[in-house]
Amino acid sequence: MAATGLRMGVVGGSIAGCAMAIAGTRAGADVTVYERSDGELQDRGLGIVVPPALHGELVALGYLDAAMPTAPVTEHVWLTRSPGRGRTREIARQPSPVTPCNWGRLWQSLRENAGGARHHRGRPVVSVERAAAGGALVRTAAGEAVYDIVVGADGHRSLTRQAIAPGLRPSPAGYLVWRGTIPMSVVAGAPRQLELLRKAWITLGFPGGHGIFYLIPGVAGTDPDDRLLAYAIYFRGPTGAGDPAPHVREIAEEHFPDEWADIVARGEHASLVCHPVTDLHAPRAADPPFVLAGDAAGITRPHTASGAVKALQDALCLEGALGACASPAEALLRYGTERTAEGSRLVELGRRLGAAQVERTPDWGAMGQAEVDAWFRAALAGTKSYLYEG
Ligand SMILES: Cc1cc2nc3c(=O)[nH]c(=O)nc-3n(C[C@H](O)[C@H](O)[C@H](O)COP(=O)(O)OP(=O)(O)OC[C@H]3O[C@@H](n4cnc5c(N)ncnc54)[C@H](O)[C@@H]3O)c2cc1C
């Protein structure tokens, strides 16, 4: 095993950081995690969708607890507003088995299973650099330490990435996403929508953008009916400045069918954030002794629902490479080859999905099942997405 006794420093203790800490520990390394935030990260609770097979694999390997609640659905339903009316029109339906999770509970489960690592909370890393005697030096306000491997799991503005790709910054896609959750008490007042959401995730198309809606587990408890309605609304409209809640309601009122606009209007929005959609691809996911994971390695537009998925797969890849290769350097090179290619594929996929669904939205009202199937096949152009495999 290449990692036995290896010292591994991880910058960032979110999804990617905790998953990489589990990978390193399982491979035999002595792992230290530095997390800038001193708060509880589970408060970031939003929706995260993962493929069922990946969820199963992570549970089987002990990255995630089997008890972590999920809200699986099997279909994807495309809706729009009937022309000139406030009614909902279903335009297409496709098989799409996915496992929606609550971001906070996903993080919590990873964090608990990363207990074999040392965790420093509220400890921002101020610099990373190659050490003269090999490995890399990690500096914080509390001191410095040398590691054989340093994992950059420090998100989209990664400091660690600067050691591999100096100056690389995310590129804006030219549109915004509003993301939040709505309590079930609101959805309970809309029984037809609730029935649909129990089986499917929804795309609601409108001119210049679309909204995604799906149920996720609540922030606490194990009751299968403890759910939140998660949404992400993509639009090339208003600037996004100021309080996002009124913007979301305006978009919904102007473009959504009445029943869906009502849900959005009545919802007391939680975790509501608005941010520009961006993407980024680091030219190398590893350059020993540095390794990048999650958003630090690359940002795919959220239409792929694959940022956290990639972070989790990054961890599985690192564990596999450390277990199979004769030396850490060989393992990191193997990781770099596999994960750089995957990052590049996902950035391309995100651009295709964004172009089709936001930058050049189709005439949703003119489409039916056959048109949606053909349009989406053309948008994917042979690129694979677990969301659209059906
Ligand atoms: C609208 C939207 C919907 C999405 N939906 C999905 C989905 O359905 N499925 C999916 O797989 N993905 C989805 N994603 C993407 C996913 O949320 C991210 O890719 C994922 O959370 C990134 O995790 P990360 O650990 O790499 O980064 P982050 O969660 O950003 O964590 C980085 C961590 O590093 C810490 N940090 C930063 N700098 C330092 C430093 N110098 N020292 C110490 N710590 C530091 C930060 O405090 C933070 O905790 C979505 C994204 C968006 C915007």
Side-chain angles (χ1 to χ4, degrees):
M1 200 183 260
T4 306
L6 198 78
R7 288 159 307 162
M8 181 168 137
V10 180
V11 187
S14 179
I15 301 282
C18 287
M20 292 299 263
I22 299 173
T25 311
R26 283 173 55 87
D30 178 31
V31 181
T32 304
V33 179
Y34 297 90
E35 168 52 46
R36 179 176 56 197
S37 164
D38 61 0
E40 289 296 334
L41 297 190
Q42 72 257 32
D43 293 346
R44 295 180 189 174
L46 286 162
I48 288 289
V49 174
V50 303
L54 176 65
H55 173 256
E57 188 179 359
L58 292 165
V59 170
L61 291 174
Y63 282 69
L64 293 179
D65 293 325
M68 182 192 83
T70 60
V73 292
T74 54
E75 283 186 302
H76 177 207
V77 172
W78 300 80
L79 304 175
T80 194
R81 187 163 78 172
S82 292
R85 313 263 303 270
R87 292 248 195 84
T88 307
R89 185 166 87 78
E90 179 176 320
I91 53 180
R93 194 174 272 252
Q94 292 157 336
S96 175
V98 296
T99 303
C101 307
N102 180 306
W103 191 101
R105 300 191 81 169
L106 180 69
W107 175 80
Q108 205 169 23
S109 189
L110 291 167
R111 174 65 188 81
E112 279 162 16
N113 290 313
R118 220 170 285 108
H119 290 259
H120 298 297
R121 241 172 43 181
R123 186 84 60 91
V125 168
V126 293
S127 68
V128 293
E129 64 195 63
R130 284 175 203 280
L137 186 71
V138 170
R139 209 170 273 122
T140 68
E144 52 187 48
V146 174
Y147 295 97
D148 302 302
I149 295 179
V150 168
V151 176
D154 43 352
H156 65 290
R157 291 210 188 102
S158 171
L159 170 118
T160 319
R161 186 170 60 228
Q162 298 306 314
I164 292 188
L168 190 66
R169 298 268 181 273
S171 339
Y175 54 90
L176 303 168
V177 58
W178 285 263
R179 193 184 185 198
T181 53
I182 295 177
M184 270 308 262
S185 52
V186 172
V187 195
R192 281 198 312 134
Q193 284 67 37
L194 181 57
E195 196 191 333
L196 190 58
L197 286 161
R198 288 204 190 280
K199 289 184 284 205
W201 64 280
I202 309 294
T203 296
L204 211 165
F206 58 86
H210 67 282
I212 301 284
F213 292 88
Y214 55 99
L215 295 181
I216 60 168
V219 287
T222 50
D223 180 348
D225 282 332
D226 175 23
R227 296 275 185 262
L228 290 168
L229 176 60
Y231 65 83
I233 298 171
Y234 299 87
F235 191 41
R236 291 207 296 172
T239 62
D243 177 6
H247 277 309
V248 167
R249 293 196 179 100
E250 264 168 46
I251 295 169
E253 198 173 314
E254 191 175 342
H255 297 292
F256 288 8
D258 288 349
E259 299 152 324
W260 289 88
D262 275 358
I263 293 176
V264 173
R266 283 189 284 131
E268 204 185 282
H269 299 248
S271 313
L272 176 53
V273 286
C274 171
H275 46 94
V277 173
T278 60
D279 54 34
L280 173 142
H281 176 52
R284 284 185 300 279
D287 186 359
F290 298 108
V291 184
L292 300 177
D295 283 6
I299 305 165
T300 170
R301 296 190 197 177
H303 317 291
T304 61
S306 290
V309 168
K310 182 170 75 66
L312 297 164
Q313 289 168 336
D314 288 344
L316 295 179
C317 180
L318 182 71
E319 184 189 336
L322 287 172
C325 296
S327 71
E330 197 187 310
L332 296 204
L333 288 175
R334 175 163 151 184
Y335 174 94
T337 305
E338 285 183 26
R339 300 318 289 163
T340 308
E342 179 61 0
S344 164
R345 186 187 79 77
L346 287 171
V347 167
E348 173 60 20
L349 175 65
R351 289 181 181 166
R352 286 182 176 285
L353 298 182
Q357 297 180 97
V358 186
E359 293 166 44
R360 294 189 294 274
T361 44
D363 181 358
W364 303 98
M367 302 220 285
Q369 183 76 46
E371 289 78 12
V372 169
D373 288 344
W375 162 71
F376 221 74
R377 234 185 342 266
L380 287 171
T383 333
K384 279 201 164 275
S385 161
Y386 76 92
L387 296 174
Y388 301 102
E389 262 162 23

